[in-house]
Amino acid sequence: MTTGPPNAQRTGQIPALWSTPSKNLLRPLLPYEDPPTEAELANHTPRSNSVDWIDDHLKSTCISPTDPSDEQIVALVKQRGYDDALIPLWDMFNHANGRYTNTRQTSVRDAEGVRVYASKEIRAGDEVFASYDRCADCEFVNLVWGTPEIFRDFGFVEPYPHRYHLEERIWFEIVEVDEKDGDKGNDGDGSGFRVLWDDGITWPDVDNYGNPDREGIEFLEREVTKFESALARMSEVPEEERGMVSQYISTVIFDYKLAIAAAERDLELEEEDEDSSDDDEEEDEVEEDEDEVEEGDYVDDDDEYHEEEEEDDDEENENESGRDEL
């Protein structure tokens, strides 16, 4: 990674421009659009749109395969552009969501041009943030993009909230909570974070995957193991890239473990509710049986009705009548 003239953006900021060891480590850890082909898997040379898109799709058609300045131009458009639009000054603002967001904007395709407004009070000296995935032109990007995609396309780990949209029909967001407001996080664990699932209420436009079941939890556990294995190989990554790669991997591990703990608690509560419901049904059945017995009717295994007590009373009455005659 090198620097350019004063005030110029540094080169090599996005994973697609990083070294081969970093790309090899990140391929299975970043979202991709096209899975590796069978030939790539057989030759142990899988490719991924997450880190190979410049090499595989642009160097053979659009840019020079040997001129680094071409790569830098592509990276600038990817990092700073709104699809096909570059907006001086505005496209240099840093990204943030949640409580850090302090602006809103009109569409870049607006007839009057893009306009930016403060969404909250901005004091002198405060940094002004833009959202890269919750903007007027983002459409449904905010539903399918998250922390891994921000890292893949911009080369940094975003501040919280963090969002994950995984292939195993798992969608969740992790937000910071303020204990001063009485929010102690999931189940009061004091972690300082809360895990939000796509429950159809918080995000009504999401596909409503709901809370992960046992299989979903096991999938997340396998993902943690995969990321932990990658973290143990950080010595393979060049020193100038190691800090950012390590931060991304460590962040995902931390977030996934929070999600696993929250999902486990939710699953336990669901199981307790089911057990309680079953117990209530059994009690109701017992009460119904007692009501039937109190009415004087007894049901045997053949569902035949007997009136044993009435028969015994008839016999006693006959005996008493016989004694009276004597």
Side-chain angles (χ1 to χ4, degrees):
M1 185 180 297
T2 59
T3 57
N7 300 321
Q9 179 165 302
R10 291 176 299 140
T11 61
Q13 284 191 306
I14 59 176
L17 297 180
W18 288 351
S19 64
T20 297
S22 292
K23 290 182 179 180
N24 290 341
L25 193 69
L26 289 171
R27 278 191 190 94
L29 307 181
L30 288 173
Y32 52 79
E33 296 177 5
D34 298 323
T37 65
E38 293 183 4
E40 290 171 348
L41 292 173
N43 296 326
H44 303 287
T45 57
R47 308 293 287 175
S48 170
N49 282 354
S50 61
V51 294
D52 299 312
W53 59 275
I54 291 180
D55 292 336
D56 291 352
H57 301 294
L58 298 181
K59 285 187 176 181
S60 61
T61 56
C62 302
I63 65 174
S64 168
T66 58
D67 188 349
S69 63
D70 279 6
E71 291 183 342
Q72 177 68 349
I73 292 170
V74 170
L76 279 169
V77 174
K78 181 69 172 178
Q79 289 177 269
R80 300 300 180 183
Y82 287 79
D83 293 329
D84 56 355
L86 289 172
I87 307 170
L89 183 62
W90 175 238
D91 58 22
M92 296 186 70
F93 283 25
N94 286 327
H95 160 81
N97 283 323
R99 65 183 183 183
Y100 301 101
T101 304
N102 51 15
T103 62
R104 60 182 179 84
Q105 68 176 85
T106 61
S107 171
V108 297
R109 297 171 179 80
D110 193 292
E112 299 180 6
V114 63
R115 288 163 291 170
V116 181
Y117 303 92
S119 61
K120 62 175 63 174
E121 180 184 3
I122 302 177
R123 295 171 296 184
D126 288 351
E127 183 172 359
V128 179
F129 291 102
S131 175
Y132 292 178
D133 58 354
R134 297 187 182 185
C135 57
D137 297 290
C138 291
E139 296 180 348
F140 294 103
V141 166
N142 65 311
L143 299 181
V144 297
W145 254 32
T147 301
E149 288 79 11
I150 290 289
F151 178 78
R152 176 195 66 192
D153 292 345
F154 300 101
F156 64 85
V157 176
E158 64 178 335
Y160 286 94
H162 290 170
R163 190 186 313 110
Y164 296 89
H165 182 272
L166 307 179
E167 294 180 6
E168 297 298 314
R169 296 184 64 80
I170 298 175
W171 194 106
F172 63 92
E173 190 167 77
I174 298 178
V175 300
E176 292 177 295
V177 298
D178 191 348
E179 293 192 10
K180 295 179 182 179
D181 297 333
D183 192 339
K184 297 185 180 298
N186 286 93
D187 200 31
D189 59 9
S191 65
F193 298 94
R194 178 173 294 281
V195 180
L196 304 176
W197 310 106
D198 56 323
D199 51 16
I201 300 174
T202 310
W203 296 280
D205 295 328
V206 185
D207 196 18
N208 297 336
Y209 295 162
N211 297 16
D213 56 14
R214 182 60 59 188
E215 291 183 2
I217 293 173
E218 291 173 354
F219 166 77
L220 288 173
E221 290 172 339
R222 291 194 298 272
E223 288 293 289
V224 168
T225 299
K226 181 174 71 175
F227 275 79
E228 288 177 337
S229 298
L231 193 62
R233 296 167 48 199
M234 286 306 301
S235 60
E236 303 172 11
V237 176
E239 186 175 353
E240 63 269 21
E241 299 166 357
R242 192 176 302 161
M244 190 55 66
V245 175
S246 176
Q247 182 187 1
Y248 169 68
I249 295 175
S250 299
T251 297
V252 174
I253 292 172
F254 178 79
D255 289 349
Y256 280 14
K257 286 184 176 180
L258 284 178
I260 291 170
E264 289 278 9
R265 284 192 294 269
D266 292 342
L267 201 58
E268 289 175 3
L269 290 174
E270 289 179 5
E271 292 172 350
E272 289 176 2
D273 289 342
E274 290 177 0
D275 292 340
S276 176
S277 177
D278 291 341
D279 291 341
D280 291 342
E281 290 179 3
E282 290 179 2
E283 290 178 3
D284 291 341
E285 291 176 359
V286 170
E287 290 177 358
E288 289 177 1
D289 292 342
E290 291 177 349
D291 291 341
E292 290 179 359
V293 171
E294 288 176 359
E295 292 173 1
D297 294 333
Y298 172 77
V299 183
D300 66 8
D301 292 338
D302 296 326
D303 292 333
E304 295 178 352
Y305 289 86
H306 301 280
E307 297 179 349
E308 295 180 352
E309 293 182 357
E310 292 183 4
E311 292 178 357
D312 291 340
D313 291 342
D314 292 341
E315 290 180 1
E316 290 181 4
N317 291 334
E318 290 178 0
N319 292 335
E320 289 180 0
S321 176
R323 285 194 297 271
D324 292 340
E325 291 178 358
L326 290 175

